[in-house]
Amino acid sequence: MSLIEIAGITHRYDERVVLQNINLSVDRGNVFALIGPTGAGKTTLLRIMDLLEVPGKGEIYFDGKCIPRSGKQRLEIRRRMSFIHQKPQVFNLSVYDNVACGLRWRGEEKDKIAGKVDHILEMVGLEGYENRNARTLSGGEAQRVALARSLVLEPEVLLLDEPTANLDPVSTAKIERLISYVARQRNTTMIMATHDMSQGQQLAGMIGVLLNGRLVQTGNATDIFHSPQNEEVAHFVGMENILEGIIVANDEGIATVNIGGNAIRAVSNHPPGKEIYACIRPEDITLALSSTQSSARNSFQAKITQVIFLGPLSRVEIDCGFRLVVLVTKISAEELNLRAGREVYATFKATGVHIMKREISQ
């Protein structure tokens, strides 16, 4: 059952529409990642869900009940949620006092506060930091203090706005492990805004793509990253190979697609004559120096036009009658001696081709 549901949310700042007709539900105990570029409206949507702002239009439901736009009930529901901001705010106090402050404001007994704070500091890996001034901590440590301060209140819903923004890789990994642990062990419902798509895939059971204030697609990681619903989503999630084509035949669900005079095979129920996009993720294409027998339905002789090394990976652009971008490990690129001008064979499966309806402009 949905714990939080938003229906028809539209919001403006002056004349600028920042959210447009947002509909979303998050089940109890789930982790939902809201992905989108900077300025897409992610923070505004989180603030509305945390009841910090009242939307211009639309309703918010918590545990099946519509939240009023003002009054005591709204405050009571807010106490069941906690919001961790992109830049964590810590008080000029000890770590212990930072974490304990919410419990004190709620009138908890002193001995219970001590037990809860000690437990939560151990959970976030800050035991022994109790007497440190929170303002002297690193960015990653301050973020863990902010998490501890929220978690010690045992919220039903935890909202996180870019929880690892501007953190180093080690601190990022610690925060991600902590979020994953809390989701598993505490069954806390989490809604996380991030522009880090790999983080969304790793931590969330469901993902929503927010672009220009519109929630354009929701689904699991496979839905979002391998089966985007339109060209806008496909570009955002890194589907670099988006090829215009037309289906010329379909034999029991295996379509033949004409891409500029070249034929590729794809799994699709679209009929012949349908104008489409054929989308292939760069990591789903295999390169070899010679033609080999395989189950892949698509194999093309190609010439490498560019190789760019990206840390442990290599981005290889090839021309096989149409342009493709391929992602391989740096080790594979070195072993195959991939370089501009070299002839290679590119193969990919029919199941690796996502067919997407193409809107024809008038």
Side-chain angles (χ1 to χ4, degrees):
M1 177 181 175
S2 297
L3 181 59
I4 288 187
E5 182 178 355
I6 56 179
I9 293 292
T10 294
H11 198 59
R12 296 173 179 267
Y13 289 136
D14 296 324
E15 297 301 313
R16 183 169 64 94
V17 178
V18 291
L19 295 173
Q20 185 173 345
N21 194 31
I22 303 293
N23 297 281
L24 173 65
S25 64
V26 181
D27 290 345
R28 185 182 298 274
N30 278 9
V31 179
F32 184 91
L34 194 64
I35 64 174
T38 300
K42 302 187 300 297
T43 298
T44 299
L45 184 54
L46 286 188
R47 288 179 57 84
I48 287 173
M49 295 174 83
D50 193 46
L51 311 184
L52 292 170
E53 294 191 35
V54 178
K57 293 181 180 178
E59 303 294 343
I60 306 173
Y61 297 84
F62 188 91
D63 209 8
K65 297 180 180 179
C66 185
I67 300 174
R69 291 179 169 257
S70 62
K72 183 179 178 181
Q73 185 184 356
R74 188 175 177 89
L75 178 61
E76 290 173 348
I77 293 173
R78 273 214 71 213
R79 287 167 65 95
R80 298 166 68 181
M81 300 188 286
S82 190
F83 190 171
I84 298 177
H85 297 266
Q86 179 175 340
K87 295 180 179 179
Q89 299 296 316
V90 293
F91 305 123
N92 189 26
L93 301 167
S94 69
V95 168
Y96 182 96
D97 287 336
N98 266 269
V99 176
C101 63
L103 295 171
R104 289 172 177 155
W105 294 336
R106 293 188 178 187
E108 285 270 6
E109 296 177 7
K110 189 174 182 179
D111 58 339
K112 289 185 178 180
I113 291 175
K116 289 183 177 183
V117 172
D118 288 345
H119 173 70
I120 212 73
L121 287 177
E122 182 179 357
M123 179 189 292
V124 302
L126 289 176
E127 64 272 28
Y129 282 64
E130 291 86 352
N131 297 320
R132 290 270 300 273
N133 187 299
R135 293 274 176 89
T136 68
L137 301 179
S138 69
E141 291 165 342
Q143 187 68 292
R144 281 186 280 160
V145 169
L147 274 165
R149 191 169 56 203
S150 291
L151 294 173
V152 79
L153 299 174
E154 300 180 359
E156 294 178 56
V157 178
L158 186 61
L159 300 114
L160 305 106
D161 188 11
E162 300 283 2
T164 59
N166 305 316
L167 296 185
D168 62 85
V170 173
S171 296
T172 294
K174 287 180 179 179
I175 296 296
E176 289 176 345
R177 285 196 297 270
L178 180 57
I179 291 170
S180 181
Y181 174 83
V182 171
R184 293 194 316 270
Q185 299 298 320
R186 291 197 162 197
N187 200 38
T188 302
T189 304
M190 295 190 192
I191 303 168
M192 175 180 66
T194 181
H195 66 270
D196 185 337
M197 289 183 284
S198 64
Q199 187 174 80
Q201 292 182 75
Q202 175 187 339
L203 298 177
M206 293 292 288
I207 298 171
V209 183
L210 191 67
L211 300 175
N212 298 316
R214 295 178 296 111
L215 192 63
V216 291
Q217 185 174 350
T218 59
N220 60 33
T222 299
D223 296 332
I224 300 297
F225 292 94
H226 291 271
S227 302
Q229 290 182 355
N230 57 45
E231 187 182 6
E232 188 179 24
V233 177
H235 279 296
F236 177 71
V237 300
M239 189 78 81
E240 286 198 73
N241 302 306
I242 305 174
L243 310 171
E244 290 189 8
I246 184 168
I247 294 178
V248 294
N250 195 316
D251 182 10
E252 297 182 344
I254 302 298
T256 300
V257 184
N258 184 316
I259 307 289
N262 302 277
I264 68 171
R265 306 292 189 272
V267 177
S268 173
N269 291 320
H270 285 305
K274 187 71 175 179
E275 295 181 302
I276 53 86
Y277 289 113
C279 303
I280 312 155
R281 292 201 67 85
E283 61 269 27
D284 289 341
I285 304 171
T286 301
L287 297 181
L289 299 182
S290 60
S291 180
T292 57
Q293 287 289 108
S294 77
S295 62
R297 300 295 298 270
N298 298 291
S299 182
F300 297 92
Q301 189 171 5
K303 179 176 287 189
I304 296 174
T305 57
Q306 187 178 44
V307 179
I308 300 174
F309 293 106
L310 305 168
L313 301 175
S314 294
R315 183 179 186 275
V316 184
E317 292 188 21
I318 61 174
D319 182 358
C320 51
F322 50 91
R323 175 183 174 273
L324 283 178
V325 173
V326 185
L327 208 58
V328 300
T329 65
K330 183 180 179 182
I331 294 173
S332 294
E334 291 172 345
E335 288 177 348
L336 296 174
N337 192 22
L338 300 182
R339 63 184 187 277
R342 179 141 210 190
E343 298 283 345
V344 292
Y345 286 84
T347 60
F348 50 93
K349 295 181 178 181
T351 54
V353 182
H354 170 58
I355 297 298
M356 192 168 62
K357 182 172 65 174
R358 177 155 55 105
E359 301 293 342
I360 309 301
S361 57
Q362 300 298 319

